Amino acid sequence: KAGVTQTPRYLIKTRGQQVTLSCSPISGHRSVSWYQQTPGQGLQFLFEYFSETQRNKGNFPGRFSGRQFSNSRSEMNVSTLELGDSALYLCASSPGLHTGELFFGEGSRLTVL
Amino acid sequence: GENVGLHLPTLSVQEGDNSIINCAYSNSASDYFIWYKQESGKGPQFIIDIRSNMDKRQGQRVTVLLNKTVKHLSLQIAATQPGDSAVYFCAENSGGSYIPTFGRGTSLIVHP
């Protein structure tokens, strides 16, 4: 069974631009969550989707948004990029909502110049 | 590789030694805990979990101990191998939320 796939793996943007990251969960998994990982703040929860609905949201500004499609694939978008948005963005899937163990992808490394 | 934690606590051990990685959690209402391993350039990988109604759980070469009195969690790795070198995170969930809160992580370095 294929794992969680995230694209792109690496990208470089400039301040003010926007970016869209994609995540394909493990086949059959319906819950997708997103995390931001930085050296200073560690792993921080962004949002969680289940059945195309955002179920939970972390403490991030409205520039961070996401969505989930009917096939459970998810995208997250960051608009008006700031230098501080440089981070590893991790997607995780799980079979259902509130099932504990998360299966992470390898992440999308975003650098904002 | 990915520098996921430039100022992480670091534990250096020799191959074959036992390793103990500690984690202090903050929420006394947390009732579910998971340890993850993150190798350079990869996402976190589930190692073992434990619920608050237990104080010990064993897996293959790993044991997790939970002390709710002092809100402390530890991961013991037996006969540590070079392939165990990674950053280890503990994560806690409270009953009202299944969104895990992750610790800062500990970097384990295993010397052959």
Side-chain angles (χ1 to χ4, degrees), chain A residues 2-92:
Chain A
V4 176
T5 304
Q6 291 188 246
T7 57
R9 288 293 313 279
Y10 301 92
L11 67 166
I12 299 173
K13 294 284 187 178
T14 56
R15 279 182 299 172
Q17 288 187 309
Q18 66 93 25
V19 66
T20 299
L21 308 177
S22 179
C23 172
S24 293
I26 291 172
S27 177
H29 285 194
R30 298 173 61 194
S31 175
V32 173
S33 52
W34 289 88
Y35 291 80
Q36 182 194 66
Q37 187 173 38
T38 60
Q41 299 297 320
L43 269 160
Q44 294 197 295
F45 170 75
L46 281 157
F47 20 69
E48 179 185 27
Y49 289 88
F50 181 82
S51 293
E52 302 177 66
T53 302
Q54 186 180 93
R55 303 291 176 152
N56 290 285
K57 189 177 190 304
N59 189 25
F60 278 81
R63 300 185 296 108
F64 292 80
S65 63
R67 58 178 175 168
Q68 186 181 34
F69 302 94
S70 59
N71 62 358
S72 295
R73 191 177 69 84
S74 177
E75 289 181 347
M76 67 163 283
N77 185 277
V78 188
S79 62
T80 319
L81 284 166
E82 302 176 359
L83 295 179
D85 296 332
S86 294
L88 181 67
Y89 290 88
L90 290 160
C91 169

Side-chain angles (χ1 to χ4, degrees), chain B residues 6-29:
Chain B
L6 295 179
H7 303 291
L8 294 175
T10 299
L11 175 64
S12 290
V13 301
Q14 289 295 130
E15 181 178 1
D17 287 352
N18 296 332
S19 302
I20 300 177
I21 300 171
N22 296 305
C23 177
Y25 63 93
S26 56
N27 188 348
S28 57

Side-chain angles (χ1 to χ4, degrees), chain A residues 35 37 39 98 102 105 109, chain B residues 2 36 38 43 98-100 104:
Chain A
Y35 291 80
Q37 187 173 38
H98 306 162
L102 299 174
R109 166 67 67 182
Chain B
E2 306 286 356
Y36 286 91
Q38 186 173 23
Y98 285 82
I99 305 303
R104 293 300 307 278

